[in-house]
Amino acid sequence: MSKPIEARELKHGDRARQAKPLKHSIRVHWGDCDPAKIAYTANIPAWALKAIEAWWEHNAGFDWYRISLDRKIGTPFVHMKMDFRSPVTPRHILECEVVLKRLGHRSLTLTVMGYQNGVLCFEGEFVQVFVEIDRMKPRTLPSDILASISANAFETE
Amino acid sequence: MSKPIEARELKHGDRARQAKPLKHSIRVHWGDCDPAKIAYTANIPAWALKAIEAWWEHNAGFDWYRISLDRKIGTPFVHMKMDFRSPVTPRHILECEVVLKRLGHRSLTLTVMGYQNGVLCFEGEFVQVFVEIDRMKPRTLPSDILASISANAFETE
Amino acid sequence: MSKPIEARELKHGDRARQAKPLKHSIRVHWGDCDPAKIAYTANIPAWALKAIEAWWEHNAGFDWYRISLDRKIGTPFVHMKMDFRSPVTPRHILECEVVLKRLGHRSLTLTVMGYQNGVLCFEGEFVQVFVEIDRMKPRTLPSDILASISANAFETE
Amino acid sequence: MSKPIEARELKHGDRARQAKPLKHSIRVHWGDCDPAKIAYTANIPAWALKAIEAWWEHNAGFDWYRISLDRKIGTPFVHMKMDFRSPVTPRHILECEVVLKRLGHRSLTLTVMGYQNGVLCFEGEFVQVFVEIDRMKPRTLPSDILASISANAFETE
């Protein structure tokens, strides 16, 4: 890894080290639906965040609870945008795909796409920054966590 | 009202009929906060939606339950984007301001800004479309609801 | 099945047809925890209900969405009681065990126990009644659903 | 306050110092309802807890966020039981009444009743214990908080 991963923008054509999607399945429940018989809108960003937390656990080696309590690192969101393409219902599993779009020194951009039965239901983009948990001051990720992301979040050739 | 309100884009300098903010107060609870001692991110779009529902009730005369069950009109979201500026905590009331940005024939764009103790905590933009509730087919709003929005959602001179 | 299952109370010593626990695993997330670093209380009955819905899907052949929309049967709760024994955190999977305690003509009693890492975190008892979904009038379960419960919800000898 | 309030059980006929209900209004939203067009069951204990938190703020002078962060006192729930009497919908405000049933040295029992349009929708009983927030060890309430409860949570003659 000659170029520092921290400052690297991942482009679609960047086949040498293309980001690897993390697949995360979510069971949609009766109580997630509103009287229109589809998942209530506010549940959808909440599910995207759960998929993103699974990305962290799988790739960085820490879910948000452990990275916060055990490593004193916070990863607050500063931005989200979502497009809702098709209703989500309990009739199918919600399959989320989380992809690293950009890994900066002090922030990270992830995209989340949610599918049911092969249909794209929503897609979104989320930006997190890295902070010291107690003072909310910006910081970089420690090298072991960067190394873990580098080892896990990309396709192998 | 010579120009049809349905197709009208509201611009910032449009003083003749400037959109009137709907203020909606939300009590932040202990259970809304995560171990970082601030409101968990996923609660914030949920609060913005509650403020938007209050905008509908105040300006259109129908909350989403009544417009859906009594008028068979659905108003699903197709897009949201949010910037998180400052943490939300239970120490202050969360004051939301909802402003109509664009009222189209088959959709509506609203902005929501959330403040605590005078500090902007988040801002977002949300797009809803109008559909027949049962078939999810696009439709326009009926004239009585448009008239109610026209009468209530704008500053009087 | 010589005795009608509908009216049968399942006792602990009833080895001939002992109820079979349905195990349901739940991933506890950062956002489920409050500033005390443990799952917020209100999430716990919500998880118990998700485990109960999994019991329905596995044993009756219908989750609540399908039994409601496809069979027009509602199963509203009329009672719950819970004891909270030990905090729930994201450090371990939450393993729920749902057991049929009583299957009556027009109601059902289930117990739910939640464990993390072998420790009992909570236990509860929940009573649901069976109704026609539109009019909320009491009804019995249809014979195919009773047969499915009878075939699936009990230990085989 | 001649008798110690900490160890006192409040009985219904105890007119000399009858507990005063705390009324707390909750707006029920579209997203709180499930496809049966009524509030999803799991929202109801969540609302009861919000009403109880309002009771703490009003009577003890601290909501759970402040009592935890500023006073290092935790008030975890050890028991809840609820009866669901009538569906909750967005058509009416949910009016909750929280009443102190028993104030012990190391625990507190509160009842919550929820009404819509004069109809009892649910009633419940909740037990909280008092702990040191960091070690989760049982403790008593400090005298200023007991004095505040004594001054505020009872009817004046």
Side-chain angles (χ1 to χ4, degrees):
Chain A
M1 193 175 64
S2 57
K3 289 194 291 184
I5 183 175
E6 308 95 304
R8 192 156 171 278
E9 185 148 0
L10 302 163
K11 298 184 189 70
H12 184 71
D14 186 5
R15 295 227 167 262
R17 271 179 78 68
Q18 194 171 1
K20 184 163 58 179
L22 189 277
K23 301 194 182 207
H24 181 72
S25 297
I26 289 171
R27 173 82 174 79
V28 178
H29 287 268
W30 164 258
D32 300 322
C33 299
D34 60 31
K37 304 182 183 69
I38 59 176
Y40 178 58
T41 306
N43 290 318
I44 297 175
W47 287 324
L49 293 196
K50 289 188 177 184
I52 291 174
E53 190 174 8
W55 182 94
W56 274 87
E57 182 171 15
H58 186 264
N59 291 298
F62 288 89
D63 60 35
W64 296 336
Y65 190 82
R66 288 177 179 86
I67 205 170
S68 168
L69 271 66
D70 301 346
R71 299 298 296 267
K72 309 297 178 195
I73 297 169
T75 59
F77 286 85
V78 294
H79 179 71
M80 71 162 64
K81 67 177 176 189
M82 300 198 76
D83 289 292
F84 307 105
R85 304 294 188 195
S86 182
V88 173
T89 79
R91 292 206 187 266
H92 301 281
I93 289 291
L94 175 60
E95 307 281 6
C96 294
E97 283 192 17
V98 185
V99 179
L100 179 61
K101 187 178 174 187
R102 186 178 179 281
L103 179 60
H105 283 87
R106 293 185 174 80
S107 71
L108 180 99
T109 303
L110 296 160
T111 57
V112 182
M113 296 202 291
Y115 298 89
Q116 284 199 307
N117 199 29
V119 175
L120 179 66
C121 298
F122 63 84
E123 53 191 319
E125 188 173 302
F126 299 81
V127 183
Q128 293 175 272
V129 293
F130 316 135
V131 300
E132 296 171 26
I133 192 76
D134 292 323
R135 296 187 297 163
M136 285 281 174
K137 284 191 57 174
R139 59 158 292 164
T140 56
L141 288 181
S143 57
D144 66 312
I145 291 178
L146 281 173
S148 177
I149 292 173
S150 179
N152 295 309
F154 299 92
E155 299 287 357
T156 51
E157 282 167 278
Chain B
M1 196 175 62
S2 56
K3 288 194 292 184
I5 182 176
E6 307 96 303
R8 192 155 169 279
E9 185 147 0
L10 302 163
K11 298 186 189 68
H12 184 70
D14 186 4
R15 296 224 168 266
R17 270 180 77 69
Q18 194 172 0
K20 184 164 59 178
L22 188 276
K23 301 193 181 207
H24 181 71
S25 297
I26 290 171
R27 173 82 176 79
V28 179
H29 287 267
W30 164 258
D32 300 322
C33 298
D34 59 32
K37 305 182 183 70
I38 59 177
Y40 178 57
T41 306
N43 291 317
I44 298 176
W47 286 323
L49 293 196
K50 289 188 177 182
I52 290 174
E53 191 173 8
W55 183 94
W56 274 87
E57 181 171 16
H58 186 265
N59 291 298
F62 288 88
D63 59 35
W64 295 336
Y65 190 83
R66 287 178 180 86
I67 205 170
S68 167
L69 272 66
D70 301 346
R71 299 297 296 268
K72 309 298 179 196
I73 298 170
T75 60
F77 286 84
V78 293
H79 179 71
M80 70 162 64
K81 67 177 176 190
M82 300 198 75
D83 290 292
F84 307 105
R85 304 293 188 195
S86 182
V88 173
T89 79
R91 292 206 188 268
H92 302 281
I93 289 290
L94 175 60
E95 307 281 7
C96 294
E97 282 191 18
V98 186
V99 178
L100 178 62
K101 187 177 173 188
R102 185 177 180 281
L103 179 59
H105 283 87
R106 291 186 176 79
S107 71
L108 179 99
T109 303
L110 295 161
T111 58
V112 182
M113 296 202 290
Y115 298 90
Q116 284 198 305
N117 200 28
V119 175
L120 179 66
C121 298
F122 63 83
E123 53 190 319
E125 189 172 300
F126 300 79
V127 183
Q128 293 174 270
V129 292
F130 316 135
V131 300
E132 296 172 26
I133 194 75
D134 292 322
R135 296 187 297 162
M136 286 281 174
K137 284 190 58 174
R139 58 159 294 164
T140 56
L141 288 181
S143 57
D144 66 312
I145 291 178
L146 281 173
S148 177
I149 292 174
S150 179
N152 295 310
F154 299 92
E155 299 287 358
T156 51
E157 283 166 279
Chain C
M1 196 175 63
S2 56
K3 286 193 293 183
I5 182 176
E6 307 96 305
R8 194 156 168 278
E9 185 149 1
L10 302 163
K11 296 185 192 68
H12 184 71
D14 186 3
R15 296 226 168 261
R17 270 180 76 69
Q18 194 170 1
K20 183 164 58 177
L22 187 277
K23 302 195 181 205
H24 182 70
S25 296
I26 290 171
R27 173 82 174 78
V28 179
H29 287 267
W30 164 259
D32 300 322
C33 298
D34 61 30
K37 304 181 184 70
I38 58 176
Y40 178 57
T41 307
N43 291 317
I44 298 175
W47 286 324
L49 293 197
K50 288 187 177 184
I52 290 174
E53 190 174 8
W55 183 94
W56 274 86
E57 182 171 14
H58 185 265
N59 291 298
F62 289 89
D63 59 35
W64 295 336
Y65 190 81
R66 287 177 180 85
I67 205 171
S68 167
L69 271 66
D70 301 346
R71 300 297 297 268
K72 310 296 178 196
I73 297 169
T75 59
F77 287 84
V78 294
H79 179 72
M80 70 163 63
K81 67 177 176 188
M82 299 198 76
D83 290 291
F84 307 105
R85 303 293 188 195
S86 183
V88 173
T89 80
R91 293 205 188 267
H92 301 282
I93 290 290
L94 175 60
E95 308 281 5
C96 294
E97 283 192 17
V98 186
V99 178
L100 179 62
K101 189 177 172 186
R102 185 176 181 281
L103 179 58
H105 283 87
R106 290 184 177 79
S107 72
L108 179 97
T109 302
L110 295 160
T111 58
V112 182
M113 297 202 289
Y115 298 89
Q116 284 198 305
N117 200 27
V119 176
L120 179 67
C121 298
F122 63 84
E123 54 191 316
E125 189 172 301
F126 300 79
V127 183
Q128 293 175 272
V129 293
F130 316 135
V131 301
E132 297 172 26
I133 193 74
D134 292 322
R135 296 188 297 164
M136 286 281 174
K137 283 191 58 173
R139 58 159 293 165
T140 56
L141 288 181
S143 58
D144 66 313
I145 292 178
L146 281 174
S148 177
I149 292 174
S150 180
N152 295 309
F154 299 91
E155 300 286 359
T156 50
E157 283 165 280
Chain D
M1 193 175 64
S2 56
K3 287 193 292 183
I5 181 176
E6 306 97 303
R8 192 154 170 279
E9 185 147 3
L10 302 163
K11 297 185 192 69
H12 184 71
D14 186 3
R15 296 226 167 264
R17 270 179 76 68
Q18 193 171 0
K20 183 164 59 178
L22 187 278
K23 301 195 181 205
H24 182 71
S25 296
I26 290 171
R27 173 81 175 80
V28 178
H29 287 267
W30 165 258
D32 301 321
C33 298
D34 60 30
K37 304 182 183 70
I38 59 176
Y40 179 58
T41 307
N43 291 316
I44 297 175
W47 286 324
L49 294 197
K50 288 187 178 184
I52 290 174
E53 191 174 6
W55 182 93
W56 274 87
E57 182 171 14
H58 185 265
N59 292 297
F62 288 89
D63 59 35
W64 295 336
Y65 190 82
R66 288 176 179 86
I67 206 170
S68 167
L69 272 66
D70 301 346
R71 299 298 297 268
K72 310 296 178 197
I73 298 168
T75 59
F77 286 84
V78 294
H79 179 72
M80 71 163 62
K81 66 177 176 189
M82 300 198 75
D83 290 292
F84 307 105
R85 303 295 189 195
S86 182
V88 173
T89 80
R91 293 205 187 268
H92 302 281
I93 290 290
L94 175 59
E95 308 280 7
C96 294
E97 282 192 18
V98 185
V99 178
L100 179 62
K101 188 177 172 187
R102 185 176 181 282
L103 179 59
H105 284 88
R106 292 184 175 80
S107 72
L108 180 97
T109 303
L110 295 160
T111 58
V112 182
M113 297 202 290
Y115 298 90
Q116 284 199 306
N117 199 28
V119 175
L120 179 66
C121 298
F122 62 84
E123 54 191 317
E125 189 173 300
F126 300 80
V127 183
Q128 293 174 271
V129 293
F130 315 135
V131 300
E132 297 172 26
I133 193 75
D134 292 322
R135 295 188 297 164
M136 286 281 173
K137 283 191 57 174
R139 57 159 293 166
T140 57
L141 288 180
S143 58
D144 66 312
I145 291 177
L146 281 173
S148 178
I149 292 173
S150 179
N152 295 309
F154 299 91
E155 300 286 358
T156 50
E157 283 163 280

